[in-house]
Amino acid sequence: MSSPGSEDQRKKVTTYTYRSKKKRGEIITMLTAYDYPTAVAVDLAGIDSILVGDSLGMVVLGYENTLPVTMEDMIHHCKAVARGAKYALLVGDMPFMSYQTTVDVAVRNAGRFLQEAGMDAVKLEGGRERKNAIEAIVGAGIPVMGHLGLTPQSVHQLGGYRAQGKSALAAQHLYEDAVILQEAGCFSIVFETIPARLAKFISEKLEIPTIGIGAGAGCDGQVLVTHDLLGLFDRFTPRFVKKYAELHKEMARAFTEYRKDVEEGRFPTQDHSIEMPDEDWDAFLESCK
Ligand code: KIV
């Protein structure tokens, strides 16, 4: 197992690191985080990049989908992550309607992720229809990560959370979109829930790194939603997720044990209590007479 290196060896991951890793054929790692403790742990594990995904709407805020997430929600969570992570490249996910109306709105909102929230880059969903917005954001000096395939903000247009790019025509469209995004200036593209061989084919054609989620092993990097990986999200687990823990069950077990300990007098004990000197206690009792 490789280690992330000692504190003084480790360097901040940048978009340049992304490019270099692809050139060297080294896999890029990414996980989502939405708060300070998770950001610290992900960073400590030596993960290259953290996505503050709008998936937080579902896995943290309990919405049905990502559509209700606002810019203020994103900025709030990005700030917490930025306080926790020192080395990972930090990517803030632009929420629904923060970049789809006008190019000016898109640039201003993208700018907030860097200026207010401490992010290094932004991510936004969509293909050719986002070309102008991406060009303008990149033109303002803000690195953009694209997102193709299953784009959750278009869940109603896609007719549900279903795999994309499965027909020859859809695969061709997706390939064209990836090239357009690269030409528009994206430094990387997320491929979500598309056929593994299509993701591998496009990844090999592109100069910029691709990051897969449910897109097989042929991408230049991998991302997972941390709450899925940890078994922290109780509603469902996508088929492509590998669970590394069952923290939701572990939380429920710990909370139940705590409740029973309190109800049955096992907590707190003297070990968890604060004492005061006897003479002060006696003086206090005396003063109460
Ligand atoms: O919001 C998110 O977590 C994402 C990942 C699924 C890539 O966009």
Side-chain angles (χ1 to χ4, degrees):
M1 193 169 67
S2 68
S3 78
S6 68
E7 286 275 306
D8 48 352
Q9 282 173 334
R10 279 183 81 186
K11 285 203 186 114
K12 168 82 183 168
V13 177
T14 65
T15 55
Y16 178 79
T17 321
Y18 256 52
R19 263 201 305 280
S20 313
K21 281 198 121 180
K22 170 149 184 156
K23 274 201 192 120
R24 294 197 297 266
E26 290 173 20
I27 298 285
I28 297 163
T29 52
M30 182 179 231
L31 281 176
T32 64
Y34 317 104
D35 56 33
Y36 171 83
T38 312
V40 171
V42 171
D43 215 30
L44 263 176
I47 300 290
D48 291 315
S49 41
I50 294 179
L51 172 65
V52 187
D54 65 350
S55 50
L56 74 85
M58 296 172 78
V59 301
V60 175
L61 303 179
Y63 294 127
E64 269 304 301
N65 54 46
T66 58
L67 303 185
V69 176
T70 63
M71 274 299 293
E72 301 319 313
D73 292 331
M74 291 308 303
I75 298 287
H76 177 74
H77 287 272
C78 285
K79 280 182 173 175
V81 167
R83 287 190 285 266
K86 279 205 284 192
Y87 301 106
L89 176 80
L90 303 180
V91 183
D93 212 0
M94 298 194 69
F96 184 53
M97 283 298 123
S98 69
Y99 58 93
Q100 291 93 337
T101 53
T102 68
V103 164
D104 186 53
V105 165
V107 176
R108 284 180 192 283
N109 281 326
R112 290 189 64 194
F113 278 90
L114 272 66
Q115 198 165 38
E116 290 175 43
M119 295 289 104
D120 304 313
V122 298
K123 177 172 84 56
L124 56 84
E125 298 180 7
R128 61 201 72 196
E129 66 282 7
R130 301 288 159 246
K131 181 175 177 284
N132 292 344
I134 292 168
E135 278 172 351
I137 297 170
V138 173
I142 301 165
V144 177
M145 176 175 267
H147 185 157
L148 294 173
L150 199 180
T151 44
Q153 290 174 16
S154 308
V155 58
H156 297 308
Q157 199 170 40
L158 300 176
Y161 295 104
R162 48 184 75 247
Q164 301 296 308
K166 284 173 74 174
S167 69
L169 206 63
Q172 180 62 34
H173 193 84
L174 207 141
Y175 180 25
E176 283 168 12
D177 275 348
V179 172
I180 290 168
L181 258 53
Q182 172 170 271
E183 282 168 1
C186 283
F187 74 94
S188 174
I189 303 175
V190 168
F191 286 157
E192 180 165 353
T193 324
I194 66 170
R197 57 179 141 178
L198 176 63
K200 182 171 189 297
F201 176 90
I202 304 176
S203 299
E204 285 167 1
K205 297 282 180 198
L206 294 183
E207 280 167 29
I208 58 173
T210 61
I211 308 293
I213 176 163
C219 294
D220 302 300
Q222 295 292 327
V223 59
L224 278 180
V225 170
T226 289
H227 284 55
D228 291 336
L229 171 157
L230 293 177
L232 252 179
F233 185 51
D234 62 319
R235 292 218 302 261
F236 61 87
T237 307
R239 198 174 71 89
F240 55 75
V241 169
K242 180 171 174 185
K243 264 197 200 179
Y244 290 81
E246 288 284 0
L247 291 197
H248 195 263
K249 285 190 189 135
E250 183 57 15
M251 271 167 63
R253 186 204 57 72
F255 297 157
T256 307
E257 209 173 300
Y258 163 75
R259 177 181 61 73
K260 285 185 182 162
D261 274 357
V262 171
E263 286 174 355
E264 294 165 22
R266 284 187 299 274
F267 177 83
T269 65
Q270 262 203 310
D271 288 347
H272 309 109
S273 305
I274 296 154
E275 266 310 336
M276 63 190 284
D278 286 346
E279 57 269 34
D280 285 294
W281 179 241
D282 291 342
F284 167 70
L285 289 180
E286 195 57 36
S287 73
C288 295
K289 281 186 184 159

